Amino acid sequence: MWYVVQVQTGTEEKIKAQCIRMIDGEILEQCFIPSYEEKKRYRGTWHTGKRTLFPGYVFMVSGRLDDLYKELKKVIGLTKLLGTGEEIVPLSEAETALLERIGAGERPLEISTGLIENGAVIVTEGPLRGMEVCIRRIDRHKRKAWLEIDMFGRTMEMEVGLEIIEKK
């Protein structure tokens, strides 16, 4: 099951390193921070960088929730394991499927490319292909898109890289 731990924004890498170091590999199967590639222009050229997809959250995969909960008490800087009240709830199948579909965890989410045709965004390649209905706004200058998705039991805005190469 996939679980989400809320941490102070900016400390995600530090918490991830602590979890990997302190929690047994049989309890914590995987610990990751989803990220995405973005393009920034400086010194006259475009450079590709990496940003956190969900700032303030660390994702964990474990089949042993009770043991994971006990081990996480040793980690300094955790805010909370996401859940409802006293019960810790794993990500839903839809949320997990979305993260797996876009490739979150293994490597940064690649920059998608697309075009605008008659006012509608069409993603031609990349992980956002087929997710056009989720796109709420785009910034062609910054080469970014903001998607509205259901995650962590609420509707969230997710910032990703999207390069529009043509407008018809």
Side-chain angles (χ1 to χ4, degrees):
M1 304 298 280
W2 290 33
Y3 299 95
V4 181
V5 177
Q6 188 174 24
V7 300
Q8 187 175 2
T9 302
T11 63
E12 298 92 352
E13 288 293 339
K14 188 173 85 174
I15 300 295
K16 175 187 165 189
Q18 275 190 68
C19 290
I20 291 171
R21 187 178 69 247
M22 298 173 75
I23 301 174
D24 184 19
E26 291 182 14
I27 297 171
L28 181 63
E29 298 166 25
Q30 190 180 5
C31 184
F32 61 95
I33 302 163
S35 60
Y36 69 95
E37 290 180 350
E38 71 169 354
K39 286 194 174 182
K40 282 194 170 190
R41 186 176 172 100
Y42 54 90
R43 295 188 178 176
T45 58
W46 286 96
H47 301 271
T48 303
K50 185 176 110 170
R51 296 221 22 212
T52 303
L53 196 58
F54 300 105
Y57 297 98
V58 176
F59 290 70
M60 300 180 179
V61 179
S62 177
R64 299 167 50 185
L65 175 61
D66 293 335
D67 295 332
L68 177 65
Y69 184 71
K70 288 175 191 168
E71 293 293 315
L72 284 173
K73 289 185 178 185
K74 299 176 189 174
V75 178
I76 299 166
L78 289 182
T79 305
K80 65 179 177 177
L81 215 73
L82 292 189
T84 56
E86 293 296 311
E87 186 181 350
I88 298 164
V89 181
L91 290 179
S92 70
E93 286 184 29
E95 293 168 334
T96 304
L98 171 69
L99 291 171
E100 287 176 337
R101 181 188 178 292
I102 62 175
E106 301 139 20
R107 61 194 184 293
L109 180 67
E110 297 172 358
I111 297 172
S112 297
T113 56
L115 54 101
I116 298 176
E117 192 173 286
N118 297 327
V121 177
I122 300 168
V123 179
T124 54
E125 58 184 66
L128 298 182
R129 192 171 183 181
M131 295 182 64
E132 291 89 347
V133 294
C134 298
I135 297 173
R136 291 295 161 245
R137 67 184 173 105
I138 59 170
D139 185 331
R140 292 179 63 200
H141 177 71
K142 292 184 178 179
R143 299 178 182 191
K144 288 189 179 186
W146 286 263
L147 281 66
E148 197 170 272
I149 58 165
D150 291 325
M151 187 68 64
F152 316 134
R154 63 178 192 254
T155 302
M156 291 189 69
E157 196 171 79
M158 182 170 78
E159 186 177 314
V160 294
L162 174 64
E163 186 169 10
I164 301 296
I165 54 175
E166 185 179 352
K167 184 174 181 179
K168 295 181 181 181

